[in-house]
Amino acid sequence: MGKIKIGIIGLGTVGCGVVKTLRNFDEQVEIVRIAVHNLNKKRNIDNLDESILTDNPFEIVDDKDIDIVVEVMGGVNPAFQLLKKAIENGKHIVTANKELLAKHGEELFQSAKEKNVVILYEAAVAGGIPIIMPIKTILRSNKITKVKGILNGTTNYILTKMDEDCASYEKVLKEAQELGYAETDPTGDVEGYDAAYKIVTLATIAFGKRIKIENTYREGITKISAKDIQRANELGYKIKLIASAELDENGTADVRVHPMLVPKEHVLAKINNVTNAVMLTGTPVGEIMFTGPGAGEFPTASSVVGDILALCSEVRRTAYPLPMMRCNHTETAKTLSIDETTNRYYIMLNTVDTPGAIGIIGTICGKHNINLSDILQKGAKDGKAEVVVITGLCNEGNMKNALEDMKNSNVIEEIKSLIRVMN
Ligand code: HSE
């Protein structure tokens, strides 16, 4: 049958891992070309055949010999134009590009359908953890209604270290950058964009309805303080950046990324450092959990090469490869706005130390139908107090109104933090 021919776009950390891992499969797969940004850069690959390198990625998508285009360059442009062209040219696609799928998945999957090619993207969500293929194949027997996870290693590392070392966000971020765990510009990770791209893709395939990135609420970890982590611990919680998607009985989806206080006994509270985890709830399976390395050269290469081999097993053998792995939904999900959601909240307030201050907080919450479940105040002095409360379940819109009243109250000087709480 001959070897399946692939072209790889991008030879950074993931690309190098893919090339090295594919050496174990060189009887099945031939790398015909690799597009790189800089032809003169030294690569961390022994005996790399430099004659197959090109700095023009369009040579790959237009190469008639290539069966599969592997995109591991990241970013939207020019990856979008390249993959569109590759699909038009009848190539199957393997990509690790979460941002591209979240922003332009619909268009790419539509053209893939028209051209009868397959787009596989196991590495785009949670790196080395197999999650896309399980949802699309063995879990097809389920109605999945909940996906919750820790989908970003950088922020999980930062929150873990802040907790272990009682250190500030700024200090730990700097250390993480020095160790290479955080990018020089960490925005994509610390502001929750990376996790949002991943939960959009996961929710779309889990619910079988398209979720739009613009309907996904996102908040990062930059406002979390060492004191929040300390108080959360005292109240029995860890703080984690949680990506969450839930489908209610009317088929409306609630998809978001934000920090949460997670009860210490919850499995997600125990996922530390750069590890990722995904919990799914489905009927009939119940609750299942996947955990492992969400990034890194070889974990990500494991998923990319797994996708390449899945395609190799069918391409040229059948006219309609991998039917279960294709995009088979057309509907866009109705989604809740964050103001319509129901949550519990942790609130840290700086107040004046005066008789009735806690009563005023309780009265404001009561006015907006917000019940209080925990209150913590320690060592008021010099006329100031720090009050932490955890609420019962309440509507986000009501909480916003209560915060406005708190801002206007003359005993509350500052709302220091507002973090949602997992049940
Ligand atoms: N930057 C991501 C993380 C890995 O920190 O988990 C790639 O999505």
Side-chain angles (χ1 to χ4, degrees), residues 157-215:
Y157 175 84
I158 293 173
L159 292 171
T160 304
K161 286 287 164 215
M162 285 174 71
D163 187 292
E164 286 172 358
D165 303 347
C166 298
S168 71
Y169 165 77
E170 291 75 15
K171 180 167 182 281
V172 176
L173 171 64
K174 194 160 168 284
E175 283 166 9
Q177 285 170 321
E178 282 161 9
L179 287 166
Y181 287 151
E183 309 265 350
T184 315
D185 175 1
T187 314
D189 292 315
V190 299
E191 295 294 1
Y193 291 97
D194 177 78
Y197 299 143
K198 293 168 179 169
I199 194 70
V200 159
T201 295
L202 267 185
T204 298
I205 61 163
F207 301 157
K209 290 179 182 178
R210 187 156 299 288
I211 305 289
K212 304 243 181 208
I213 185 76
E214 52 275 22
N215 295 335

Side-chain angles (χ1 to χ4, degrees), residues 98 151-154 189 194 198 294-295:
K98 60 227 83 183
L151 297 180
N152 183 269
T154 305
D189 292 315
D194 177 78
K198 293 168 179 169

